[in-house]
Every structure is written in C-alpha cells, then in structure tokens.
Amino acid sequence: MSAGMEVEYLKKCIGTPLAEGCAAAAVAAPSDPVEYLGLWLLQYVKNHSIESDLDEEKKAELEKLAAKLAAEEEAKKQQEEAEKAKWASVEQLENYHFDAYVMFDEAAAAIASNTVASGCYIACLEDPLVPEPDVGDESDVEGPAEGEEEADEGEAAEPEEGDGAGGEGGAGTGPIKYDYRRKILNYVAANKGHEYMLEKSLLRVPKEYGEDEEPEEVEEGAPPPTVNQGVTFDLVDQDLNLLDVPNVMYKDGVHFHNEFPNVGGYLAQAVKMSTNELRMLVCADTLLRGNGCGKPFTPKCKDYVAAVARKVSAALDHVDANRMKIVETGLAKKCIEELELDLNPPPL
C-alpha cells in the first residue's frame, strides 16, 4: 500500500474520531494527555456502537410502523370495496324482476352475507288455500323463533274502498285500504342452511271458546276471531314498517317451534308496493340455535334490510307495471289467439 493510500485510509477510518479526541484533550488539558486520548477513543467506540444499535432499533420501528400503516390502508381499501359490493348487491336485485323467486333467494342471501343475520327468509301474504290444519301438529324440525313462522307465496290483500269513495258511477278519492285480516304468511325463500323454512307457514288460528264463554260478535263480512301464531302478525295488523325484537327470549307472544325457547334477535321488514299495499315480509334472525350470534340487529343492519326491501318492492312494481301494460295493449289476448290458431287451424 503506498503512502498516499495509507494517508487516505487513516483519514477515512480514524481521522474524525482522532481529531475530535485531540480537540477534547486540548480543552481538558489533562496531566496525561495520551491516556486521556486513549480512554476518550474507547468511549467513542462504545458510544458509536450504542448509536448504531439505536439507529437499527429506530429503523426497525419505522419499518414496523410503515408496515402497520400499509396494512391499515389495505384493510381500509378492502372495507371500502366490501361496502361497495354490499350495496351493489342491493342495486342488482332489481335486475331479477324477470324471476321473482330468484330475486327472493338473492335478497335472502345478501342479507345473510352482509348483516349479523344467520337466517333470512321471505314471507308472502296470501289467503289460506285449504281449511287451516290442526295447530297441535307441531313440526319436528328445529326452527327459529316466531320469526320462523311460515307459509306459501301469497297475493296481496283485497283492497276496500277508501273513505272518500264516490257514489254510483263516481270514483273514490280516498286512499286504498287493504284488508289483511284473513291473510296468512307463506315462506317462499330462505338463505342457505334455512331451507326448512320453505315448508312452514304462519297461520291465523280460529279462536276456541270454553264451555262457559260466549263467542265474540263479528261484524257482517268480517272474518271470525283468530289467534295469531307469533308476533309477526303485529307488523301486518298494526300497519308497521319494521318489527324489531332485540331478544326473542324476553318478548311476549313469540312463537317457538316444538315449544323450545331460543335466544337472539328477530327482525321483520315490510315490503310495500307503490300503492302502499303490503305484499310480503323480509325476516331475519340471529338465533343461537340457528348458529347465530344471539345479538340484536345494529342500526346499520336494519338500514341494509330496509334497503333490500325497497329494491324488492321496486322490482315487484316493475313486474306489475309490465303486466298492466300487457293487459292494456291486449298483447296477452293476441298471443293466446295466435296460439289457439296454431293449435286449431281452420279447415281448408
């Protein structure tokens, strides 16, 4: 190694600490400057090692903080995407108006996937098709609480004339009043794992009187007195938009299958058409015996269920409008005539 290279090496490696040590010795003016300088250099090495360790620790902390911030940013991004997908699933429901049952299945699946609900099932209002069965015949299948009350898809109640109905030849000016007193609930859709709800119905059971009891007087044309299975009929009979039971265990009148109580929240959301006709109910639960969390529905979950109900209502309105258009244009009659002509061509 040449002399020039040796000088450069010394400058680079020990020049700074040696210069600082000599300066410190000059300031301190110790009796033994050589010993002082040696001790100062040893302390310098220790300090330098500590500073290097601190730098490494600080660097590691900064890297850890950067990774945490990146993970939080990624989680926030995923949450935003999940939120968009959650509400996109609501918007897509209206696209299934061509098949109501597909739409109902998609609605139930969306609620079960995007809320705390473990079970979601959709019930239609309809008239009983046959004499009501014996209520004592309980199902052997485990089911949710009263929210698991049951039936087949039904049609809306028959409207009555409003208070402002006109006389002979006149048109009614009041709002349409719908009579649901004879309606039962039929479950027509359910999320995965709750398909057994499709075999169940929620009925209005004729009221039984004891030997010493007098039957209630009933107005002409009114249905006989009944006892409702569960509290879901409260939403129907009291014209409510939402029935929210935080815990079915403490709610009077809740209908439990097989007389076995359960724990958890229950929600029923009305699906009303643009005419204010109650067409069906969107029901959901968090029942523990149905693998739910047992907790009440949060405000965000209720808002989501309400949004699903509005989309289902809009889709059904679209279906009704198309049916009306077909009737008004005579398209259905024309198609039937053409079909009959094809099946029964005139003689030549």
Side-chain angles (χ1 to χ4, degrees):
M1 183 180 293
S2 64
M5 293 179 64
E6 292 175 352
V7 171
E8 289 299 323
Y9 170 77
L10 292 174
K11 282 183 178 180
K12 180 179 179 181
C13 296
I14 64 173
T16 299
L18 186 59
E20 292 179 359
C22 290
V27 172
S31 59
D32 189 346
V34 174
E35 181 184 18
Y36 181 89
L37 178 60
L39 294 173
W40 190 94
L41 290 173
L42 289 174
Q43 188 62 44
Y44 178 89
V45 172
K46 291 180 181 179
N47 293 345
H48 183 70
S49 177
I50 293 172
E51 289 177 357
S52 297
D53 291 342
L54 290 175
D55 288 342
E56 289 298 324
E57 290 178 5
K58 188 175 181 180
K59 182 180 178 181
E61 289 179 359
L62 290 175
E63 290 176 351
K64 186 177 179 180
L65 179 60
K68 180 181 178 182
L69 293 175
E72 290 177 352
E73 186 66 25
E74 181 64 22
K76 183 180 178 181
K77 183 179 178 181
Q78 291 179 359
Q79 185 177 2
E80 290 176 351
E81 291 176 353
E83 193 72 10
K84 288 181 181 178
K86 167 183 172 181
W87 291 103
S89 64
V90 177
E91 296 298 323
Q92 291 171 1
L93 289 176
E94 204 167 351
N95 298 332
Y96 295 105
H97 61 79
F98 60 88
D99 190 330
Y101 286 95
V102 172
M103 177 178 62
F104 299 156
D105 287 338
E106 291 294 328
I111 291 173
S113 298
N114 297 301
T115 70
V116 296
S118 57
C120 181
Y121 24 93
I122 296 178
C124 289
L125 272 75
E126 74 170 15
D127 292 312
L129 300 179
V130 293
E132 295 175 348
D134 183 6
V135 194
D137 185 13
E138 291 285 348
S139 171
D140 293 330
V141 183
E142 275 192 2
E146 172 279 325
E148 307 163 272
E149 322 157 7
E150 316 66 55
D152 266 327
E153 182 179 24
E155 298 177 356
E158 293 298 326
E160 296 180 347
E161 286 186 344
D163 295 335
E168 183 178 354
T173 57
I176 297 176
K177 294 171 63 178
Y178 295 93
D179 185 2
Y180 307 108
R181 289 176 294 177
R182 290 184 174 86
K183 300 297 180 181
I184 64 171
L185 290 172
N186 268 344
Y187 289 94
V188 297
N191 68 304
K192 186 176 181 181
H194 287 73
E195 293 88 352
Y196 59 85
M197 289 297 298
L198 304 179
E199 302 175 358
K200 299 179 180 294
S201 301
L202 185 60
L203 309 174
R204 297 183 187 270
V205 184
K207 187 174 181 180
E208 297 181 357
Y209 297 93
E211 295 181 358
D212 300 331
E213 292 182 309
E214 289 289 334
E216 299 177 20
E217 294 185 3
V218 180
E219 296 180 4
E220 185 178 353
T226 58
V227 178
N228 299 331
Q229 286 185 334
V231 298
T232 301
F233 278 113
D234 290 351
L235 185 147
V236 179
D237 297 336
Q238 298 176 24
D239 194 25
L240 305 176
N241 287 321
L242 177 68
L243 176 66
D244 180 22
V245 181
N247 193 335
V248 296
M249 177 68 78
Y250 305 111
K251 176 67 175 178
D252 292 335
V254 171
H255 177 73
F256 294 101
H257 291 287
N258 300 323
E259 301 181 356
F260 192 86
N262 211 326
V263 177
Y266 172 66
L267 196 72
Q269 174 70 50
V271 177
K272 293 187 176 181
M273 311 303 290
S274 58
T275 59
N276 204 39
E277 171 197 353
L278 178 61
R279 184 72 61 88
M280 60 183 56
L281 305 179
V282 176
C283 309
D285 69 63
T286 64
L287 302 183
L288 289 178
R289 201 151 56 99
N291 297 321
C293 64
K295 297 180 180 180
F297 284 87
T298 64
K300 285 187 177 181
C301 290
K302 296 176 194 176
D303 290 343
Y304 187 80
V305 174
V308 169
R310 287 193 296 270
K311 275 299 172 185
V312 171
S313 173
L316 294 178
D317 273 333
H318 182 78
V319 172
D320 288 351
N322 284 343
R323 288 175 179 171
M324 185 63 68
K325 185 177 180 181
I326 289 174
V327 172
E328 290 176 350
T329 58
L331 182 60
K333 183 178 179 181
K334 182 179 179 182
C335 290
I336 293 173
E337 291 174 350
E338 291 178 354
L339 181 60
E340 290 178 345
L341 189 61
D342 290 339
L343 296 174
N344 302 295
L348 298 175

Short mmCIF file of all heavy atoms in Angstrom, two decimals, residues 7 11 40 62 103 105 109 112 152 154 181 199 202 206 220 230 239 246 249-250 260 294 307 317 320 326-327 346:
data_model
loop_
_atom_site.label_atom_id
_atom_site.label_comp_id
_atom_site.label_asym_id
_atom_site.label_seq_id
_atom_site.Cartn_x
_atom_site.Cartn_y
_atom_site.Cartn_z
N VAL A 7 -2.47 7.29 3.92
CA VAL A 7 -2.99 8.55 4.47
C VAL A 7 -4.50 8.64 4.26
O VAL A 7 -5.25 9.03 5.16
CB VAL A 7 -2.27 9.74 3.81
CG1 VAL A 7 -2.94 11.05 4.21
CG2 VAL A 7 -0.79 9.76 4.21
N LYS A 11 -7.33 8.85 7.20
CA LYS A 11 -8.29 9.97 7.22
C LYS A 11 -9.73 9.46 7.27
O LYS A 11 -10.57 9.96 8.01
CB LYS A 11 -8.10 10.84 5.99
CG LYS A 11 -6.92 11.79 6.06
CD LYS A 11 -6.90 12.66 4.81
CE LYS A 11 -5.75 13.67 4.86
NZ LYS A 11 -5.73 14.52 3.65
N TRP A 40 -10.63 8.32 25.83
CA TRP A 40 -11.67 9.03 25.05
C TRP A 40 -12.04 8.22 23.81
O TRP A 40 -13.21 8.10 23.45
CB TRP A 40 -11.14 10.41 24.67
CG TRP A 40 -12.20 11.30 24.07
CD1 TRP A 40 -12.97 12.21 24.70
CD2 TRP A 40 -12.59 11.33 22.67
NE1 TRP A 40 -13.82 12.82 23.84
CE2 TRP A 40 -13.61 12.29 22.56
CE3 TRP A 40 -12.16 10.66 21.53
CZ2 TRP A 40 -14.22 12.59 21.35
CZ3 TRP A 40 -12.79 10.95 20.33
CH2 TRP A 40 -13.81 11.91 20.24
N LEU A 62 -39.47 2.12 12.57
CA LEU A 62 -40.04 2.83 11.41
C LEU A 62 -40.59 1.85 10.38
O LEU A 62 -41.65 2.08 9.79
CB LEU A 62 -38.97 3.74 10.79
CG LEU A 62 -38.57 4.96 11.62
CD1 LEU A 62 -37.41 5.70 10.94
CD2 LEU A 62 -39.76 5.91 11.79
N MET A 103 -85.04 -13.54 -7.39
CA MET A 103 -84.80 -12.29 -6.67
C MET A 103 -84.94 -12.50 -5.16
O MET A 103 -84.12 -12.00 -4.38
CB MET A 103 -85.77 -11.22 -7.13
CG MET A 103 -85.65 -9.89 -6.38
SD MET A 103 -86.78 -8.64 -6.99
CE MET A 103 -88.37 -9.40 -6.64
N ASP A 105 -84.46 -15.27 -3.46
CA ASP A 105 -83.29 -16.04 -2.99
C ASP A 105 -82.06 -15.14 -2.88
O ASP A 105 -81.30 -15.23 -1.92
CB ASP A 105 -83.00 -17.20 -3.94
CG ASP A 105 -84.02 -18.32 -3.83
OD1 ASP A 105 -84.68 -18.40 -2.78
OD2 ASP A 105 -84.17 -19.10 -4.80
N ALA A 109 -79.95 -14.18 0.52
CA ALA A 109 -78.51 -14.45 0.59
C ALA A 109 -77.73 -13.17 0.88
O ALA A 109 -76.76 -13.18 1.64
CB ALA A 109 -78.04 -15.07 -0.73
N ALA A 112 -78.09 -12.29 4.62
CA ALA A 112 -77.31 -13.21 5.46
C ALA A 112 -75.81 -12.96 5.33
O ALA A 112 -75.06 -13.19 6.29
CB ALA A 112 -77.64 -14.66 5.09
N ASP A 152 -96.86 -20.29 2.05
CA ASP A 152 -96.53 -20.21 0.62
C ASP A 152 -96.67 -18.80 0.14
O ASP A 152 -97.36 -18.03 0.75
CB ASP A 152 -97.54 -21.03 -0.19
CG ASP A 152 -97.02 -22.40 -0.44
OD1 ASP A 152 -95.82 -22.55 -0.58
OD2 ASP A 152 -97.84 -23.32 -0.48
N GLY A 154 -98.06 -15.62 -1.35
CA GLY A 154 -99.44 -15.24 -1.48
C GLY A 154 -99.62 -13.94 -2.19
O GLY A 154 -98.67 -13.22 -2.42
N ARG A 181 -106.91 -9.24 7.24
CA ARG A 181 -107.35 -10.00 8.41
C ARG A 181 -107.44 -11.50 8.15
O ARG A 181 -107.39 -12.29 9.08
CB ARG A 181 -108.70 -9.46 8.89
CG ARG A 181 -108.61 -8.09 9.54
CD ARG A 181 -109.98 -7.56 9.91
NE ARG A 181 -110.80 -7.31 8.73
CZ ARG A 181 -112.06 -6.90 8.77
NH1 ARG A 181 -112.65 -6.72 9.96
NH2 ARG A 181 -112.74 -6.69 7.66
N GLU A 199 -90.97 -25.01 4.09
CA GLU A 199 -92.02 -25.99 4.34
C GLU A 199 -92.97 -25.55 5.46
O GLU A 199 -93.82 -26.31 5.89
CB GLU A 199 -91.39 -27.34 4.72
CG GLU A 199 -90.46 -27.89 3.66
CD GLU A 199 -89.76 -29.16 4.12
OE1 GLU A 199 -89.99 -29.56 5.28
OE2 GLU A 199 -89.02 -29.73 3.31
N LEU A 202 -97.16 -19.60 8.73
CA LEU A 202 -97.59 -18.89 9.94
C LEU A 202 -99.07 -18.56 9.75
O LEU A 202 -99.44 -17.84 8.83
CB LEU A 202 -96.78 -17.61 10.13
CG LEU A 202 -97.06 -16.84 11.41
CD1 LEU A 202 -96.77 -17.70 12.63
CD2 LEU A 202 -96.23 -15.58 11.47
N PRO A 206 -108.27 -20.21 14.27
CA PRO A 206 -109.60 -19.83 14.80
C PRO A 206 -109.60 -19.89 16.33
O PRO A 206 -109.08 -20.82 16.94
CB PRO A 206 -110.52 -20.90 14.20
CG PRO A 206 -109.82 -21.36 12.97
CD PRO A 206 -108.35 -21.29 13.28
N GLU A 220 -120.75 -8.10 10.06
CA GLU A 220 -121.07 -8.81 8.83
C GLU A 220 -119.93 -8.66 7.82
O GLU A 220 -119.45 -7.56 7.55
CB GLU A 220 -122.36 -8.25 8.23
CG GLU A 220 -122.83 -9.01 7.01
CD GLU A 220 -124.14 -8.47 6.46
OE1 GLU A 220 -124.74 -7.59 7.12
OE2 GLU A 220 -124.55 -8.93 5.39
N GLY A 230 -97.57 -16.16 16.84
CA GLY A 230 -96.40 -15.30 16.93
C GLY A 230 -96.71 -13.83 16.77
O GLY A 230 -97.82 -13.41 16.49
N ASP A 239 -100.02 -2.21 10.78
CA ASP A 239 -99.50 -1.40 9.67
C ASP A 239 -98.14 -0.81 10.01
O ASP A 239 -97.88 0.39 9.82
CB ASP A 239 -100.48 -0.28 9.30
CG ASP A 239 -100.15 0.34 7.95
OD1 ASP A 239 -99.53 -0.34 7.12
OD2 ASP A 239 -100.49 1.53 7.74
N PRO A 246 -85.19 -7.30 19.99
CA PRO A 246 -83.76 -7.45 20.34
C PRO A 246 -83.42 -8.84 20.86
O PRO A 246 -82.35 -9.37 20.56
CB PRO A 246 -83.56 -6.39 21.43
CG PRO A 246 -84.63 -5.37 21.18
CD PRO A 246 -85.80 -6.16 20.69
N MET A 249 -86.21 -14.15 23.60
CA MET A 249 -86.42 -14.80 24.89
C MET A 249 -87.33 -13.98 25.81
O MET A 249 -88.09 -14.51 26.60
CB MET A 249 -85.07 -15.03 25.57
CG MET A 249 -85.14 -15.64 26.95
SD MET A 249 -85.74 -17.34 26.94
CE MET A 249 -84.25 -18.18 26.40
N TYR A 250 -87.25 -12.65 25.65
CA TYR A 250 -87.97 -11.76 26.56
C TYR A 250 -89.15 -11.07 25.89
O TYR A 250 -89.68 -10.10 26.43
CB TYR A 250 -87.01 -10.72 27.13
CG TYR A 250 -85.81 -11.33 27.80
CD1 TYR A 250 -84.54 -11.21 27.24
CD2 TYR A 250 -85.93 -12.05 28.99
CE1 TYR A 250 -83.43 -11.79 27.84
CE2 TYR A 250 -84.83 -12.62 29.60
CZ TYR A 250 -83.58 -12.49 29.02
OH TYR A 250 -82.49 -13.06 29.60
N PHE A 260 -89.71 -24.95 22.34
CA PHE A 260 -88.36 -24.84 22.91
C PHE A 260 -87.87 -23.42 22.70
O PHE A 260 -87.63 -23.00 21.57
CB PHE A 260 -87.41 -25.83 22.23
CG PHE A 260 -86.10 -25.98 22.94
CD1 PHE A 260 -85.95 -26.86 23.98
CD2 PHE A 260 -85.00 -25.20 22.57
CE1 PHE A 260 -84.75 -27.00 24.64
CE2 PHE A 260 -83.80 -25.32 23.22
CZ PHE A 260 -83.67 -26.23 24.26
N GLY A 294 -76.69 -14.38 18.39
CA GLY A 294 -77.56 -14.10 19.52
C GLY A 294 -77.69 -12.63 19.86
O GLY A 294 -78.33 -12.28 20.85
N ALA A 307 -83.19 -1.35 2.89
CA ALA A 307 -82.81 -1.08 1.51
C ALA A 307 -83.14 -2.26 0.60
O ALA A 307 -83.61 -2.09 -0.53
CB ALA A 307 -81.31 -0.76 1.44
N ASP A 317 -92.98 -3.75 -8.35
CA ASP A 317 -93.72 -2.69 -9.03
C ASP A 317 -93.48 -2.75 -10.53
O ASP A 317 -94.39 -2.54 -11.34
CB ASP A 317 -93.30 -1.31 -8.49
CG ASP A 317 -94.10 -0.90 -7.26
OD1 ASP A 317 -95.24 -1.35 -7.11
OD2 ASP A 317 -93.56 -0.14 -6.44
N ASP A 320 -95.49 -5.58 -11.93
CA ASP A 320 -96.91 -5.21 -12.01
C ASP A 320 -97.17 -4.27 -13.18
O ASP A 320 -98.18 -4.38 -13.88
CB ASP A 320 -97.35 -4.55 -10.70
CG ASP A 320 -97.45 -5.55 -9.56
OD1 ASP A 320 -97.34 -6.76 -9.82
OD2 ASP A 320 -97.62 -5.12 -8.40
N ILE A 326 -99.26 -5.23 -20.58
CA ILE A 326 -99.67 -6.33 -21.45
C ILE A 326 -101.19 -6.39 -21.54
O ILE A 326 -101.77 -6.58 -22.62
CB ILE A 326 -99.11 -7.66 -20.91
CG1 ILE A 326 -97.60 -7.71 -21.11
CG2 ILE A 326 -99.77 -8.85 -21.60
CD1 ILE A 326 -96.92 -8.90 -20.48
N VAL A 327 -101.86 -6.19 -20.41
CA VAL A 327 -103.32 -6.22 -20.40
C VAL A 327 -103.89 -5.06 -21.20
O VAL A 327 -104.82 -5.23 -22.00
CB VAL A 327 -103.84 -6.18 -18.94
CG1 VAL A 327 -105.35 -6.01 -18.94
CG2 VAL A 327 -103.44 -7.45 -18.20
N PRO A 346 -107.96 -23.40 -38.98
CA PRO A 346 -109.27 -23.55 -39.63
C PRO A 346 -109.20 -24.57 -40.78
O PRO A 346 -108.14 -24.74 -41.40
CB PRO A 346 -109.55 -22.12 -40.15
CG PRO A 346 -108.19 -21.51 -40.32
CD PRO A 346 -107.35 -22.10 -39.21
#
